[in-house]
């Protein structure tokens, strides 16, 4: 029995040949996994960044991408490098 392959096409999955499936996989590689937190600074940033984005949108602040946050993140990563 031959292997069956399915790819999304026009909002539904259709059966295709192995060659069509390989071409589809080559054209649409899977996204890379999200980076894992390395230290305490990365963990704090992972939690604080969505809050900062919401604050920027609602209150008009400019917290996302500030240099103080990057410095604090590096300092905390140096203090506690592995979690």
């Amino acid at each position: 029995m031959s292997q069956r392959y399915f790819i999304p096409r026009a909002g539904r999955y259709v059966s295709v040949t192995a060659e069509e499936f390989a071409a589809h996989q080559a054209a649409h590689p899977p996204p890379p996994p999200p980076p894992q937190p390395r230290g305490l600074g990365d963990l704090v940033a992972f939690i604080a960044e969505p809050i900062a984005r919401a604050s920027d949108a609602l209150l008009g602040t400019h917290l996302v991408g500030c240099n103080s946050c990057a410095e604090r993140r590096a300092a905390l990563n140096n203090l506690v490098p592995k979690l």
Side-chain angles (χ1 to χ4, degrees):
M1 180 175 227
S2 65
Q3 181 73 28
R4 295 179 64 172
Y5 299 96
F6 295 92
I7 61 171
R9 196 179 280 165
R12 60 187 194 138
Y13 283 88
V14 295
S15 180
V16 295
T17 65
E19 292 81 18
E20 288 176 310
F21 182 76
H24 176 78
Q25 292 295 91
H28 302 90
Q36 296 295 320
R38 293 174 296 199
L40 181 60
D42 294 326
L43 179 63
V44 170
F46 179 76
I47 294 168
E49 282 179 10
I51 296 169
R53 278 192 212 103
S55 174
D56 288 352
L58 295 174
L59 304 174
T61 60
H62 301 288
L63 298 174
V64 174
C66 72
N67 289 334
S68 316
C69 295
E71 292 170 3
R72 192 173 304 114
R73 183 179 190 170
L76 287 172
N77 279 340
N78 288 335
L79 186 65
V80 182
K82 297 270 186 183
L83 289 180

